[in-house]
Amino acid sequence: MKNVPVFVFVLLIATACLRNQALSHDEVKEVIIDKNFDSRKADADVKVLTATVEGDVLSVELECDGCGAGAAFDMVNDGKYMKSLPPGTYLYPVKTSDGRKSETGSGVYKYDISSLQYHNTNSIFLLIKGYDDRIMYKY
């Protein structure tokens, strides 16, 4: 019985560590380019809170109603570019797993966007569904 408080304390710390690990997604995933992707199928309940580009890595903070720790998302591009200078392209966050259910879950996800580089240019702008600002990607 003396070890019960210690066990509860260790259990609380382990739970907190697992939760922080699930919400911090250090893995850099590839952007999926799918020329048959129907943008109407993109998840409406996924919100983009922040988005930044550092080198070839896009970091986005995603929030999702009904998603919890361990939620997973892909970033999909339809292979289309706008005829502008610089060219632009759309990205769509697509939920692949809800994780542990909760009212609202969020986390930072990282994506390698080097496959989006457009020929004969040194930059493009990215438009992410659910995010109002354009993001400049220079390469």
Side-chain angles (χ1 to χ4, degrees):
M1 291 307 266
K2 292 179 186 180
N3 294 333
V4 171
V6 173
F7 175 74
V8 170
F9 180 72
V10 170
L11 184 62
L12 288 174
I13 289 176
T15 303
C17 289
L18 287 174
R19 181 166 188 226
N20 287 338
Q21 182 182 13
L23 294 178
S24 176
H25 305 276
D26 291 330
E27 173 191 0
V28 178
K29 295 176 72 174
E30 293 286 327
V31 167
I32 297 169
I33 299 174
D34 180 358
K35 294 185 180 189
N36 296 318
F37 180 73
D38 183 356
S39 63
R40 295 173 293 183
K41 293 182 181 179
D43 294 306
D45 61 342
V46 177
K47 297 177 186 88
V48 180
L49 304 177
T50 61
T52 58
V53 172
E54 191 171 315
D56 291 331
V57 176
L58 170 68
S59 296
V60 292
E61 183 178 5
L62 300 175
E63 179 180 81
C64 175
D65 293 334
C67 294
F73 299 88
D74 283 336
M75 191 64 70
V76 181
N77 174 266
D78 60 8
K80 298 175 186 169
Y81 290 84
M82 291 170 245
K83 293 182 180 177
S84 59
L85 289 174
T89 191
Y90 280 93
L91 292 170
Y92 304 92
V94 176
K95 180 175 42 175
T96 58
S97 169
D98 288 338
R100 291 182 298 217
K101 299 283 187 180
S102 67
E103 286 186 19
T104 302
S106 67
V108 176
Y109 299 82
K110 297 179 181 182
Y111 301 94
D112 181 348
I113 56 175
S114 61
S115 60
L116 299 176
Q117 295 178 3
Y118 194 75
H119 58 84
N120 298 327
T121 67
N122 60 3
S123 64
I124 61 171
F125 66 87
L126 306 172
L127 294 165
I128 304 173
K129 183 178 185 218
Y131 193 63
D132 293 332
D133 296 333
R134 297 191 312 175
I135 300 144
M136 187 59 66
Y137 168 40
K138 296 180 180 185
Y139 41 88

